[in-house]
Structures are given as C-alpha cells and as structure tokens.
Amino acid sequence: MPAHQLAPDIPTDVLAAEQAHLAASRAALKAMRAHAQSLSSDAAGDWVSQQILQSLLDQRVAALADHPDTPLFFGRLDRAERRSPRQESDGPSDRDHEHEGESDDLPGTIYVGRRHVHDGHSRPLVIDWRAPVSRAFYQASPADPMGIERRRRFGYHGGALTAFEDEPLGEGVEIGPSRILTDEIERPRTGPMRDIVATIQPDQDEIVRSTLAQTVCVQGAPGTGKTAVGLHRAAYLLFTHRERLARSGVMIVGPNRAFLSYISSVLPALGEVKVDQTTVAGLLGDHAAPEDPMVAAVKGDARMAAVLERALWLHIVKPEEGLVYTKGAYRHRVADYEVREIVASLRGTTRYNPGRAALAQRLAHMVLVRMEQRGESPDDRVQDAVARSKPVKQLVEAVWPKLTPEQVLHHLLSDPEFLARAAKSDLSPEEQETLLWRKPYRSWKSAKWSAADAALLDELRDLMERTPSLGHLVVDEAQDLSEMQLRALGRRCRNGSATVLGDLAQGTTPWSTRSWESVLGHLGQREGEVTELTLGFRVPREVLDYAARLLPSIAPGLAAPQSLRPGAGSLTVREGGSVAQAAEEALAREGSIGVIVPDAMVDAVSEALAGLPHAVLDPDSAEEHRLLIVPATLAKGLEYDHVVVVEPADIVAAEPRGLARLYVVLTRAVTSLTVLHDKALPPQLAG
C-alpha cells in the first residue's frame, strides 16, 4: 500500500532510513544463512555424530530462510530513559542494537521481527518477537508504557516497507485504533494460514507467553485467532526452552490433513521447522472402517478404559503347575504355589509386557536359589539363560500369554461372555450389546478397525508398554475429541504440558464435550488454566452476529462473541440465488473464496461451477486454488476472504449436531458471507 494512503505526512527521509534498515537486515540474514551453509559436519569424529551435526546444520539453514513477501520486522520500540541526541534521529544507529538477552543494558531502539538477525559484528539488527524485551511491543499502553516512549508499526506492500505509524506511549494520552494494524488484519488472503505475529493483541500475548509448565486451555470464539495463538505459543516455547524441547519434542494435532496443510506455513515463517504436525488418526492409526455414531460414542466413553484394563489382565491364567528345570543330573523345582505367588505379586502392578518379562526373571531367580541350595554358584548369565529356557518360556506363555492390542480388542468385541466379564457394571447390557460385532471377524488379523477402535487399541498399547511423553502438545478443535481420544493424547504429554484449543459452540461430533474442565481431566492435565477469547478480529461483526443467533440452541452457556470490525454490507442472504453468480461476484473481488456446501452436494455444485476454474478441497491434498468447493464437514478451522454457503437446511439435516456444523460454516468468512438457499432457513436464523 502506498505510503500516502496511510499517512500523508510521513517524512520521506525517515521512511528511507527505515527502508535502508530493512535492506541491511535482509542482507545480514542472507549472510547468516550463507555462513550456516558453509559449515561442514566433517568436524564430527564419527559417522553417527556427523549425521546428527548435519541434521542440526540443515535445520539451522532452513530456519534462516528469507521470505521476500513477508516483513522481516514489523515494529520498533524507542525506550524512554535511554535516549541520546543521536538516538533522537529516526534512522537506526549502531548504538541502538544490543543482544536481546542482555537485559541489564537494553538498546535504546529495538526492531521487533520474526527472528533474530545480526550483522557481521554480532550486533542485532532485528530482535526476535519472542525475546523478553519484545514483550512491550504487544503489552505497552499509555496507562503502562513499560519504559517505552514510542511504538512504531510498519506497513508493507508485499515485502516492501511502504509506511509507518507512531504511537506515543510516554505522554499518557489515549491512542486511537491503528490503521496499519486494521489493514493487516483485514488484508485479503490466499493459500495457507498467515502468522499473526504482527497483530497479536495483549490478551493473546498473555497466552502465547505462558510458562512451559502451564497447560493452557483456550475457549475461542470464531475469528479470535485461537489457532494462531496456539501455533505462536509453540514457537515461543521452542525459542525459550530450545534444548529441553529439542530432546522431548513438540507436536501439533489438528482435526484433518486439510487443516494441517492450511497451517503448514506459520511455524516455518517464524523460523521453527522442527515441529511434528499430525491428526488424531495419524497419531493413533489411520483406521477408517465405517461405524454407527452411537457405537463410536460408547467406544469413546472414558468408562472403556476400565473395561480394557480388565480385558487385558483377564488373559492371565492362574498357574496350576510348578516349574521343573533340568540341568545335567539335577532337576530344580519351583512349586505351583510359589508360581502363583509370583504371578499374584506382579499382576496389575506393572504394565503387561514388562510384567511378562519380570515373571520369567522371577522364575529363573527361584531356580537359581535351588541351584545355590545344592552348592552351585550361578551368576547373572545363568539366570538370563534360565529365563530364556524352554520350560520357563512354556510356563510363562501358558500363564501370561504374549498378546497384541488387536488380539485383546478382537476378543472383547466378538465374545459376549468375555465382554460381560470385562465390563462388569461399567457398561449396561444394552451398551454391551451395542459394542459386539454383528458378524465377528475370523481373527484379529482380518479385523477392520474404526476410528473409535484406534483410541481403544492405543489404550491397550499403553497398558502393555508405556507411551513416550512429549515436552509439549498443541491440540486444536479439542471439543470434538472423545474421552478415549483425549486419554490417548494425554499420554503423549503426561510428563509435559499442553495447549488445548477449541470452541464448545463448534462441537459437531456425538461425543463433543460440554466442559473444558472435563477435557483437561481426561487429558490428565487437571491443573490446566482455562481462558476465553471472545473478541474477534477476523470475522466481520455483521456476519458474526448472524451466526450467533444459533448459540442459544447449541451452547447456551457461552457469551456471544464480539468483533472489532463492523463489516457493514458483509452479509448477503439470497433465496433461490445462483451459486455460479455468487462465485463470479466473489472472483471480481480480491482474496480467497470458499464455497461451502453439504457433503452430498459437492458434485452438483462442482458441475454448476464448471465454467469457472475451481477445485474441490481434498483432505489428502495440499493443492491451492483461489476458488474452492469445501465440503461442510471439512470447513472447521479454515478461513476464506469470501464465503458462499449453499443450502443451510441440508447442512443441519446431515448430522445429529447439524446446527453446530452450520455455526462453524457461517463463521469462516473474513470479508464477506453470502448465504444461498432454496429450502427454508433454520428457524434460529429467521428475522
């Protein structure tokens, strides 16, 4: 955007100085990357160390990649108490820059950007937005200037710095809304999700900078930026706890692959490339056998955890015989009651597989005791040999059989008597009947598992072998996860923390939660802090108010969201309108377009748009297209500048929580929403 459109009185010499600083910063970043590329892993002493060092160097090079269309810095802070005559000039000087970690000697002028950039003399030209000194850019206000005299926001067109705004913080006068901030929020988008690092608001910044030990649950209304806040918190934690999280890992779990594709560019733009991104299906096993939602709801209930635990341990058989181990002319005996005592002492006190190994070692130890009683002097190697011997292995297999999670679940879902023994009073007879397969598979190897089964298999897997824990887990759209899925995710952060994101009003599964406290409990993070974002920046107020008419029916306990953007004229509702005409109107404007339709109408709408270049959103494809047909069930978490919603009544009728699905669909628009319908609108939207 040309400078004169933002502030006609911008001094051209000051703007030129800032542009020169941007050019110098980009050149310095290029030099930093070239230096990283010049480093060799040959300095490592052995092949393994070389591979590790090369991986670290590759990550460093990737993190230093420049994004020409992305501002390298977006703000500047001038400290009040450290001003000198030279610093009164608007151009940057060498004295203005210090390392961000040196809090005892902070620079007088700080440029805040996406990553740290220094020149050839190690003097910072840009300070990472995550550094403690950068916090004032987001939090300082006239009421609490935090030692800042002036905050400067930069406006960009593409990657070119075209304008700036100054906000005097030390004068105690109220600051009006930032035009640059508003324009950045409203800027049309295409392709993947943008980072919000330049537009983070104070309440969002508090969440982003929460400590690593603190699990945070964010209830976020549509357009409040909760997903971006979660991603930026991951970037902040990686910056603040680099070594610890490099060892333990950070993972982002999204609702589907289309969503992951949408958010894929955010962390790399912030210099973070070492973050795993997956879906619940990708994490637990991509099982997709069709299943009645009511069956899946029972399988997703947390009561299944106790049922599965009993089912596993019921496979252990009470020993009826002792052990006889022959070595040379001697036969060493362990009585049946002694075997029973060993099994009883292990059963339920350890995970299944370690318990099985411990049983073999305990039996071998008893044999060694018999050997010592005969005057022998066996050592640990003899005990290991006895533990691997045929008599011990046969007894262990008979009493404590080797199992897979699939074997146990197959047994549970195909044998009514076994299910009844495992369920006890946790499941009613009707629920047990619901769980049983109508046509049991011949064996566990031929069984086809559903998405709900994946969480049950994961629970069993953890009962057999402990699931490794990550350092931090980001879970988006958490309101749609079953209790068993939440338990599975909780195991991945049992020694770490989590950022839980979602909106109770957007729960669309039969098992969607009504309480964030319940979610945190099933995650094993009961001490987590629940915070709410209700002020929206993305969805126009006119659109948000229209969608909020559904809230009393789907989430009566939630406060209605508010939007900072009035969005007059952003909503159009047409009866009998043409989807092709609505798409053409949207194409005449700048930005991305999502035509959101009932899943059953995808082919028909694609045919109606045959004269326009378009694509159908595919969860398995990362293909970008300006005009996308979006099945309603894939719309969650996505945003488009212009949204056309086709036949709301069919979206509602397609699933049990159809009104919640419609709420999701209606809140995907950043600039305009057009609703087309032939059938009567849901009564909640009337008026």
PDB file of all heavy atoms in Angstrom, residues 20-32 66-73 117 125-126 156 158-160:
ATOM      1  N   ALA A  20      16.175   1.489   4.461  1.00  0.00           N
ATOM      2  CA  ALA A  20      17.592   1.117   4.430  1.00  0.00           C
ATOM      3  C   ALA A  20      17.908   0.101   5.516  1.00  0.00           C
ATOM      4  O   ALA A  20      18.697  -0.832   5.313  1.00  0.00           O
ATOM      5  CB  ALA A  20      18.463   2.370   4.599  1.00  0.00           C
ATOM      6  N   HIS A  21      17.282   0.276   6.685  1.00  0.00           N
ATOM      7  CA  HIS A  21      17.499  -0.696   7.760  1.00  0.00           C
ATOM      8  C   HIS A  21      16.934  -2.065   7.371  1.00  0.00           C
ATOM      9  O   HIS A  21      17.540  -3.098   7.674  1.00  0.00           O
ATOM     10  CB  HIS A  21      16.842  -0.206   9.053  1.00  0.00           C
ATOM     11  CG  HIS A  21      17.135  -1.092  10.229  1.00  0.00           C
ATOM     12  ND1 HIS A  21      18.364  -1.151  10.822  1.00  0.00           N
ATOM     13  CD2 HIS A  21      16.357  -1.983  10.900  1.00  0.00           C
ATOM     14  CE1 HIS A  21      18.342  -2.009  11.824  1.00  0.00           C
ATOM     15  NE2 HIS A  21      17.126  -2.538  11.886  1.00  0.00           N
ATOM     16  N   LEU A  22      15.802  -2.068   6.685  1.00  0.00           N
ATOM     17  CA  LEU A  22      15.233  -3.332   6.213  1.00  0.00           C
ATOM     18  C   LEU A  22      16.179  -4.000   5.218  1.00  0.00           C
ATOM     19  O   LEU A  22      16.430  -5.213   5.294  1.00  0.00           O
ATOM     20  CB  LEU A  22      13.862  -3.095   5.565  1.00  0.00           C
ATOM     21  CG  LEU A  22      13.209  -4.320   4.920  1.00  0.00           C
ATOM     22  CD1 LEU A  22      12.930  -5.402   5.954  1.00  0.00           C
ATOM     23  CD2 LEU A  22      11.917  -3.934   4.198  1.00  0.00           C
ATOM     24  N   ALA A  23      16.721  -3.216   4.280  1.00  0.00           N
ATOM     25  CA  ALA A  23      17.651  -3.779   3.287  1.00  0.00           C
ATOM     26  C   ALA A  23      18.895  -4.338   3.976  1.00  0.00           C
ATOM     27  O   ALA A  23      19.378  -5.430   3.629  1.00  0.00           O
ATOM     28  CB  ALA A  23      18.033  -2.700   2.268  1.00  0.00           C
ATOM     29  N   ALA A  24      19.422  -3.615   4.958  1.00  0.00           N
ATOM     30  CA  ALA A  24      20.598  -4.093   5.682  1.00  0.00           C
ATOM     31  C   ALA A  24      20.283  -5.370   6.459  1.00  0.00           C
ATOM     32  O   ALA A  24      21.107  -6.297   6.523  1.00  0.00           O
ATOM     33  CB  ALA A  24      21.099  -3.008   6.635  1.00  0.00           C
ATOM     34  N   SER A  25      19.086  -5.439   7.012  1.00  0.00           N
ATOM     35  CA  SER A  25      18.689  -6.622   7.781  1.00  0.00           C
ATOM     36  C   SER A  25      18.536  -7.837   6.873  1.00  0.00           C
ATOM     37  O   SER A  25      18.966  -8.942   7.229  1.00  0.00           O
ATOM     38  CB  SER A  25      17.372  -6.348   8.516  1.00  0.00           C
ATOM     39  OG  SER A  25      17.500  -5.255   9.401  1.00  0.00           O
ATOM     40  N   ARG A  26      17.969  -7.626   5.709  1.00  0.00           N
ATOM     41  CA  ARG A  26      17.823  -8.746   4.771  1.00  0.00           C
ATOM     42  C   ARG A  26      19.191  -9.222   4.289  1.00  0.00           C
ATOM     43  O   ARG A  26      19.431 -10.427   4.163  1.00  0.00           O
ATOM     44  CB  ARG A  26      16.960  -8.338   3.579  1.00  0.00           C
ATOM     45  CG  ARG A  26      15.482  -8.200   3.911  1.00  0.00           C
ATOM     46  CD  ARG A  26      14.628  -8.436   2.677  1.00  0.00           C
ATOM     47  NE  ARG A  26      13.208  -8.281   2.954  1.00  0.00           N
ATOM     48  CZ  ARG A  26      12.441  -9.228   3.491  1.00  0.00           C
ATOM     49  NH1 ARG A  26      12.971 -10.379   3.820  1.00  0.00           N
ATOM     50  NH2 ARG A  26      11.153  -9.012   3.705  1.00  0.00           N
ATOM     51  N   ALA A  27      20.080  -8.295   4.037  1.00  0.00           N
ATOM     52  CA  ALA A  27      21.433  -8.673   3.606  1.00  0.00           C
ATOM     53  C   ALA A  27      22.146  -9.443   4.719  1.00  0.00           C
ATOM     54  O   ALA A  27      22.862 -10.423   4.465  1.00  0.00           O
ATOM     55  CB  ALA A  27      22.219  -7.425   3.220  1.00  0.00           C
ATOM     56  N   ALA A  28      21.950  -9.016   5.958  1.00  0.00           N
ATOM     57  CA  ALA A  28      22.578  -9.701   7.089  1.00  0.00           C
ATOM     58  C   ALA A  28      22.014 -11.111   7.251  1.00  0.00           C
ATOM     59  O   ALA A  28      22.755 -12.059   7.538  1.00  0.00           O
ATOM     60  CB  ALA A  28      22.370  -8.894   8.368  1.00  0.00           C
ATOM     61  N   LEU A  29      20.703 -11.255   7.070  1.00  0.00           N
ATOM     62  CA  LEU A  29      20.093 -12.585   7.162  1.00  0.00           C
ATOM     63  C   LEU A  29      20.643 -13.496   6.069  1.00  0.00           C
ATOM     64  O   LEU A  29      20.928 -14.681   6.312  1.00  0.00           O
ATOM     65  CB  LEU A  29      18.568 -12.469   7.049  1.00  0.00           C
ATOM     66  CG  LEU A  29      17.795 -13.790   7.098  1.00  0.00           C
ATOM     67  CD1 LEU A  29      18.007 -14.493   8.436  1.00  0.00           C
ATOM     68  CD2 LEU A  29      16.300 -13.552   6.865  1.00  0.00           C
ATOM     69  N   LYS A  30      20.806 -12.940   4.884  1.00  0.00           N
ATOM     70  CA  LYS A  30      21.375 -13.720   3.779  1.00  0.00           C
ATOM     71  C   LYS A  30      22.792 -14.169   4.114  1.00  0.00           C
ATOM     72  O   LYS A  30      23.186 -15.314   3.844  1.00  0.00           O
ATOM     73  CB  LYS A  30      21.359 -12.883   2.496  1.00  0.00           C
ATOM     74  CG  LYS A  30      21.842 -13.625   1.267  1.00  0.00           C
ATOM     75  CD  LYS A  30      21.730 -12.742   0.019  1.00  0.00           C
ATOM     76  CE  LYS A  30      22.201 -13.491  -1.222  1.00  0.00           C
ATOM     77  NZ  LYS A  30      22.103 -12.624  -2.436  1.00  0.00           N
ATOM     78  N   ALA A  31      23.558 -13.287   4.732  1.00  0.00           N
ATOM     79  CA  ALA A  31      24.932 -13.633   5.115  1.00  0.00           C
ATOM     80  C   ALA A  31      24.938 -14.699   6.219  1.00  0.00           C
ATOM     81  O   ALA A  31      25.780 -15.605   6.217  1.00  0.00           O
ATOM     82  CB  ALA A  31      25.665 -12.383   5.585  1.00  0.00           C
ATOM     83  N   MET A  32      23.999 -14.599   7.161  1.00  0.00           N
ATOM     84  CA  MET A  32      23.892 -15.602   8.226  1.00  0.00           C
ATOM     85  C   MET A  32      23.582 -16.974   7.634  1.00  0.00           C
ATOM     86  O   MET A  32      24.147 -17.995   8.049  1.00  0.00           O
ATOM     87  CB  MET A  32      22.793 -15.203   9.221  1.00  0.00           C
ATOM     88  CG  MET A  32      23.133 -14.007  10.091  1.00  0.00           C
ATOM     89  SD  MET A  32      21.689 -13.388  11.028  1.00  0.00           S
ATOM     90  CE  MET A  32      21.339 -14.802  12.077  1.00  0.00           C
ATOM     91  N   ASP A  66      14.857 -16.741   4.086  1.00  0.00           N
ATOM     92  CA  ASP A  66      14.151 -15.465   3.989  1.00  0.00           C
ATOM     93  C   ASP A  66      12.853 -15.679   3.213  1.00  0.00           C
ATOM     94  O   ASP A  66      12.774 -16.519   2.315  1.00  0.00           O
ATOM     95  CB  ASP A  66      15.029 -14.433   3.277  1.00  0.00           C
ATOM     96  CG  ASP A  66      14.505 -13.015   3.459  1.00  0.00           C
ATOM     97  OD1 ASP A  66      13.512 -12.839   4.194  1.00  0.00           O
ATOM     98  OD2 ASP A  66      15.089 -12.091   2.869  1.00  0.00           O
ATOM     99  N   HIS A  67      11.831 -14.931   3.581  1.00  0.00           N
ATOM    100  CA  HIS A  67      10.548 -14.966   2.867  1.00  0.00           C
ATOM    101  C   HIS A  67      10.331 -13.567   2.310  1.00  0.00           C
ATOM    102  O   HIS A  67       9.881 -12.661   3.033  1.00  0.00           O
ATOM    103  CB  HIS A  67       9.419 -15.373   3.812  1.00  0.00           C
ATOM    104  CG  HIS A  67       9.614 -16.726   4.427  1.00  0.00           C
ATOM    105  ND1 HIS A  67       9.003 -17.861   3.928  1.00  0.00           N
ATOM    106  CD2 HIS A  67      10.353 -17.131   5.480  1.00  0.00           C
ATOM    107  CE1 HIS A  67       9.362 -18.909   4.667  1.00  0.00           C
ATOM    108  NE2 HIS A  67      10.170 -18.487   5.611  1.00  0.00           N
ATOM    109  N   PRO A  68      10.684 -13.355   1.040  1.00  0.00           N
ATOM    110  CA  PRO A  68      10.694 -11.995   0.480  1.00  0.00           C
ATOM    111  C   PRO A  68       9.375 -11.247   0.619  1.00  0.00           C
ATOM    112  O   PRO A  68       9.372 -10.020   0.743  1.00  0.00           O
ATOM    113  CB  PRO A  68      11.042 -12.239  -1.001  1.00  0.00           C
ATOM    114  CG  PRO A  68      11.726 -13.573  -1.025  1.00  0.00           C
ATOM    115  CD  PRO A  68      11.094 -14.376   0.062  1.00  0.00           C
ATOM    116  N   ASP A  69       8.256 -11.980   0.597  1.00  0.00           N
ATOM    117  CA  ASP A  69       6.953 -11.312   0.683  1.00  0.00           C
ATOM    118  C   ASP A  69       6.483 -11.132   2.122  1.00  0.00           C
ATOM    119  O   ASP A  69       5.369 -10.649   2.356  1.00  0.00           O
ATOM    120  CB  ASP A  69       5.903 -12.104  -0.105  1.00  0.00           C
ATOM    121  CG  ASP A  69       6.203 -12.106  -1.598  1.00  0.00           C
ATOM    122  OD1 ASP A  69       6.828 -11.134  -2.053  1.00  0.00           O
ATOM    123  OD2 ASP A  69       5.823 -13.076  -2.285  1.00  0.00           O
ATOM    124  N   THR A  70       7.304 -11.554   3.086  1.00  0.00           N
ATOM    125  CA  THR A  70       6.937 -11.462   4.496  1.00  0.00           C
ATOM    126  C   THR A  70       7.820 -10.436   5.179  1.00  0.00           C
ATOM    127  O   THR A  70       9.047 -10.498   5.055  1.00  0.00           O
ATOM    128  CB  THR A  70       7.107 -12.827   5.189  1.00  0.00           C
ATOM    129  OG1 THR A  70       6.313 -13.791   4.503  1.00  0.00           O
ATOM    130  CG2 THR A  70       6.674 -12.754   6.640  1.00  0.00           C
ATOM    131  N   PRO A  71       7.246  -9.484   5.911  1.00  0.00           N
ATOM    132  CA  PRO A  71       8.072  -8.479   6.594  1.00  0.00           C
ATOM    133  C   PRO A  71       9.070  -9.125   7.552  1.00  0.00           C
ATOM    134  O   PRO A  71       8.701  -9.978   8.358  1.00  0.00           O
ATOM    135  CB  PRO A  71       7.042  -7.642   7.366  1.00  0.00           C
ATOM    136  CG  PRO A  71       5.746  -7.858   6.635  1.00  0.00           C
ATOM    137  CD  PRO A  71       5.801  -9.247   6.102  1.00  0.00           C
ATOM    138  N   LEU A  72      10.336  -8.704   7.463  1.00  0.00           N
ATOM    139  CA  LEU A  72      11.364  -9.249   8.349  1.00  0.00           C
ATOM    140  C   LEU A  72      11.220  -8.663   9.749  1.00  0.00           C
ATOM    141  O   LEU A  72      11.459  -9.329  10.746  1.00  0.00           O
ATOM    142  CB  LEU A  72      12.751  -8.940   7.786  1.00  0.00           C
ATOM    143  CG  LEU A  72      13.941  -9.618   8.466  1.00  0.00           C
ATOM    144  CD1 LEU A  72      13.763 -11.132   8.492  1.00  0.00           C
ATOM    145  CD2 LEU A  72      15.230  -9.253   7.749  1.00  0.00           C
ATOM    146  N   PHE A  73      10.833  -7.394   9.816  1.00  0.00           N
ATOM    147  CA  PHE A  73      10.443  -6.804  11.105  1.00  0.00           C
ATOM    148  C   PHE A  73       9.174  -6.000  10.877  1.00  0.00           C
ATOM    149  O   PHE A  73       8.894  -5.531   9.776  1.00  0.00           O
ATOM    150  CB  PHE A  73      11.561  -5.942  11.711  1.00  0.00           C
ATOM    151  CG  PHE A  73      12.033  -4.804  10.854  1.00  0.00           C
ATOM    152  CD1 PHE A  73      11.312  -3.625  10.761  1.00  0.00           C
ATOM    153  CD2 PHE A  73      13.222  -4.903  10.135  1.00  0.00           C
ATOM    154  CE1 PHE A  73      11.749  -2.569   9.979  1.00  0.00           C
ATOM    155  CE2 PHE A  73      13.674  -3.853   9.351  1.00  0.00           C
ATOM    156  CZ  PHE A  73      12.937  -2.684   9.263  1.00  0.00           C
ATOM    157  N   VAL A 117      18.301 -11.270  13.892  1.00  0.00           N
ATOM    158  CA  VAL A 117      19.225 -11.038  12.772  1.00  0.00           C
ATOM    159  C   VAL A 117      20.346 -10.136  13.278  1.00  0.00           C
ATOM    160  O   VAL A 117      20.082  -9.102  13.907  1.00  0.00           O
ATOM    161  CB  VAL A 117      18.518 -10.357  11.578  1.00  0.00           C
ATOM    162  CG1 VAL A 117      19.509 -10.111  10.452  1.00  0.00           C
ATOM    163  CG2 VAL A 117      17.347 -11.200  11.092  1.00  0.00           C
ATOM    164  N   LEU A 125      20.331  -6.535  14.450  1.00  0.00           N
ATOM    165  CA  LEU A 125      19.578  -5.598  13.615  1.00  0.00           C
ATOM    166  C   LEU A 125      18.078  -5.781  13.816  1.00  0.00           C
ATOM    167  O   LEU A 125      17.303  -4.831  13.697  1.00  0.00           O
ATOM    168  CB  LEU A 125      19.932  -5.810  12.144  1.00  0.00           C
ATOM    169  CG  LEU A 125      21.410  -5.641  11.774  1.00  0.00           C
ATOM    170  CD1 LEU A 125      21.620  -5.928  10.296  1.00  0.00           C
ATOM    171  CD2 LEU A 125      21.899  -4.250  12.138  1.00  0.00           C
ATOM    172  N   VAL A 126      17.673  -7.024  14.101  1.00  0.00           N
ATOM    173  CA  VAL A 126      16.273  -7.349  14.406  1.00  0.00           C
ATOM    174  C   VAL A 126      16.277  -8.270  15.620  1.00  0.00           C
ATOM    175  O   VAL A 126      17.095  -9.191  15.698  1.00  0.00           O
ATOM    176  CB  VAL A 126      15.568  -8.052  13.222  1.00  0.00           C
ATOM    177  CG1 VAL A 126      14.107  -8.349  13.579  1.00  0.00           C
ATOM    178  CG2 VAL A 126      15.645  -7.202  11.960  1.00  0.00           C
ATOM    179  N   TYR A 156       3.477  -2.639   5.088  1.00  0.00           N
ATOM    180  CA  TYR A 156       4.184  -3.272   3.969  1.00  0.00           C
ATOM    181  C   TYR A 156       3.231  -3.499   2.802  1.00  0.00           C
ATOM    182  O   TYR A 156       2.025  -3.695   2.975  1.00  0.00           O
ATOM    183  CB  TYR A 156       4.763  -4.627   4.398  1.00  0.00           C
ATOM    184  CG  TYR A 156       5.986  -4.525   5.274  1.00  0.00           C
ATOM    185  CD1 TYR A 156       5.860  -4.299   6.639  1.00  0.00           C
ATOM    186  CD2 TYR A 156       7.260  -4.650   4.737  1.00  0.00           C
ATOM    187  CE1 TYR A 156       6.982  -4.194   7.459  1.00  0.00           C
ATOM    188  CE2 TYR A 156       8.386  -4.553   5.543  1.00  0.00           C
ATOM    189  CZ  TYR A 156       8.238  -4.328   6.896  1.00  0.00           C
ATOM    190  OH  TYR A 156       9.352  -4.231   7.684  1.00  0.00           O
ATOM    191  N   GLY A 158       3.478  -6.320  -0.035  1.00  0.00           N
ATOM    192  CA  GLY A 158       4.355  -7.440  -0.344  1.00  0.00           C
ATOM    193  C   GLY A 158       5.470  -7.446   0.690  1.00  0.00           C
ATOM    194  O   GLY A 158       5.229  -7.389   1.887  1.00  0.00           O
ATOM    195  N   GLY A 159       6.708  -7.450   0.224  1.00  0.00           N
ATOM    196  CA  GLY A 159       7.831  -7.397   1.160  1.00  0.00           C
ATOM    197  C   GLY A 159       8.438  -6.021   1.287  1.00  0.00           C
ATOM    198  O   GLY A 159       9.448  -5.850   1.980  1.00  0.00           O
ATOM    199  N   ALA A 160       7.833  -5.023   0.633  1.00  0.00           N
ATOM    200  CA  ALA A 160       8.402  -3.669   0.634  1.00  0.00           C
ATOM    201  C   ALA A 160       7.804  -2.834   1.756  1.00  0.00           C
ATOM    202  O   ALA A 160       6.583  -2.781   1.932  1.00  0.00           O
ATOM    203  CB  ALA A 160       8.146  -2.995  -0.710  1.00  0.00           C
TER     204      ALA A 160
END
